[in-house]
């Protein structure tokens, strides 16, 4: 657990470095999902290749604007060279503002919000029909699930009994236009997901133990799975935490220095 927390802190430093270098990006929602991604890639997911050179477990970053966190975690697993991270969003870089499946380790291009869960269902159904085994993990934003297609996908996961799909909702309470509560309420989200037929749990999305326990529990479920992860937008940086203005913007030199110092110094 100590190692995973250390990795999470290093990932946060990478995010700050990347967005500062790019002059633009989405720090808030990248910082809120760090522990989730670290637990998935460093503890839970089976990244081994099958006879068709495909990884057993799949991951979809439906909230594609959190790409800096995704790229940093992929780099920590050897998919992306560390030195390439600072090319984020540069005109000649393959590390675009949203993930593309031309990037090593990325299974699905994403960024058009609301589509990831539908893709996850297709992957999970293929695994069921082919009896390949493995799970499909889809990380969604709480603002993102205001999209109607998401709820159609939730219904489909139930209809086809996709017990190998895990929807993880990054429930940080903020989106680009303000609080999720003020834009379009998510009243009784837990009850909604239970009603849609999901094995549903609420966790602290920054608690390594809770994340791993929930993900391990999902492997044993006979229903589609939903983990509602209560998180803090901008987690780890005092002036970013719960501050909607950090949904999407660059990081100045002064803010960069403050952020890196709060995380324990330069990478």
């Amino acid at each position: 657990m100590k190692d995973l927390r250390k990795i999470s802190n290093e990932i946060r430093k990478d995010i700050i470095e990347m967005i500062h270098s790019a002059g633009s990006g989405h720090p808030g929602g990248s910082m809120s999902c760090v522990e989730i991604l670290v637990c998935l890639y460093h503890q839970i997911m089976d990244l081994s290749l099958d006879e068709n050179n495909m990884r057993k477990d799949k991951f979809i970053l439906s909230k594609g604007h959190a790409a800096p966190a995704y790229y940093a975690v992929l780099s920590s697993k050897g998919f992306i060279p560390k030195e390439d991270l600072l090319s984020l969003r540069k005109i000649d870089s393959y590390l675009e503002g949203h993930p593309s499946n031309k990037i090593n380790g990325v299974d699905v291009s994403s960024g058009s919000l609301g589509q990831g869960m539908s893709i996850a269902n297709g992957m999970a159904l293929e695994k069921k029909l082919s009896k390949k085994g493995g799970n499909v993990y889809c990380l969604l934003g709480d603002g993102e699930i205001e999209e109607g297609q998401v709820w159609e996908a939730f219904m489909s996961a139930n209809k086809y009994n996709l017990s190998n799909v895990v929807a993880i909702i990054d429930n940080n309470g903020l989106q680009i236009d303000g609080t999720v509560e003020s834009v379009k309420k998510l009243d009784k989200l837990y009850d909604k997901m239970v009603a849609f037929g999901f094995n549903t749990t609420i966790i602290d999305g920054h608690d390594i133990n809770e994340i791993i326990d929930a993900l391990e529990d999902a492997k044993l479920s006979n229903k589609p799975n939903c983990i509602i992860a209560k998180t803090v937008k901008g987690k780890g940086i005092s002036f970013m935490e719960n501050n909607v203005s950090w949904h999407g913007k660059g990081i100045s030199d002064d803010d960069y220095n403050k952020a890196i110092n709060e995380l324990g110094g330069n990478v």
Side-chain angles (χ1 to χ4, degrees):
M1 299 305 105
K2 183 178 180 181
D3 287 343
L4 295 181
R5 284 189 285 270
K6 181 179 179 181
I7 293 168
S8 297
N9 192 64
E10 294 303 311
I11 295 300
R12 286 194 165 88
K13 290 181 185 180
D14 286 338
I15 293 168
I16 297 299
E17 294 274 359
M18 294 162 70
I19 296 176
H20 173 251
S21 176
S24 64
H26 294 83
S30 294
M31 302 293 260
S32 66
C33 65
V34 168
E35 283 82 6
I36 296 168
L37 291 173
V38 168
C39 287
L40 281 169
Y41 275 87
H42 284 269
Q43 186 74 24
I44 295 296
M45 291 175 61
D46 184 345
L47 300 175
S48 62
L49 300 175
D50 63 19
E51 65 276 8
N52 296 314
N53 210 36
M54 302 294 287
R55 280 179 293 280
K56 184 175 181 181
D57 287 338
K58 299 285 190 178
F59 173 77
I60 298 167
L61 182 68
S62 191
K63 47 170 279 179
H65 52 285
Y70 190 20
Y71 297 157
V73 171
L74 286 173
S75 178
S76 73
K77 292 297 293 184
F79 289 102
I80 296 173
K82 177 87 167 179
E83 59 270 21
D84 288 0
L85 293 180
L86 293 185
S87 72
L88 174 73
R89 287 176 167 250
K90 302 293 174 60
I91 191 65
D92 57 348
S93 175
Y94 65 97
L95 298 181
E96 301 172 10
H98 294 82
S100 163
N101 63 3
K102 66 187 177 185
I103 299 170
N104 186 29
V106 176
D107 293 310
V108 175
S109 300
S110 61
S112 296
L113 295 178
Q115 298 181 4
M117 192 65 199
S118 297
I119 300 169
N121 283 347
M123 288 179 163
L125 183 58
E126 187 273 338
K127 286 181 176 296
K128 286 269 188 182
L129 293 174
S130 64
K131 304 186 187 306
K132 286 180 180 177
N135 295 297
V136 183
Y137 300 90
C138 181
L139 180 62
L140 305 111
D142 50 3
E144 176 189 8
I145 65 173
E146 294 165 359
E147 296 272 4
Q149 182 177 328
V150 173
W151 296 92
E152 293 179 78
F154 288 155
M155 285 191 287
S156 295
N158 183 31
K159 173 179 172 58
Y160 295 107
N161 191 31
L162 300 179
S163 58
N164 57 341
V165 73
V166 185
I168 307 167
I169 300 174
D170 184 358
N171 190 196
N172 61 42
L174 296 175
Q175 59 190 99
I176 191 170
D177 290 327
T179 65
V180 174
E181 178 75 10
S182 65
V183 175
K184 194 177 291 183
K185 292 183 180 181
L186 285 177
D187 291 338
K188 300 181 179 179
L189 180 57
Y190 174 86
D191 293 341
K192 283 185 172 77
M193 296 310 300
V194 171
F196 271 71
F198 278 68
N199 169 45
T200 307
T201 186
I202 301 175
I203 64 167
D204 177 342
H206 302 299
D207 187 304
I208 299 291
N209 290 300
E210 289 192 24
I211 297 168
I212 290 175
D213 286 348
L215 290 168
E216 292 288 3
D217 177 70
K219 292 181 181 180
L220 305 175
S221 171
N222 60 2
K223 297 179 179 180
N225 301 275
C226 177
I227 298 172
I228 301 171
K230 295 288 187 179
T231 62
V232 176
K233 198 151 190 167
K235 176 69 174 178
I237 307 299
S238 60
F239 56 87
M240 290 185 183
E241 289 190 356
N242 286 317
N243 186 340
V244 71
S245 70
W246 286 100
H247 174 86
K249 69 175 181 178
I251 299 173
S252 69
D253 291 344
D254 285 345
D255 285 337
Y256 165 80
N257 289 327
K258 292 176 187 176
I260 290 296
N261 284 336
E262 287 191 17
L263 294 170
N266 286 320
V267 178

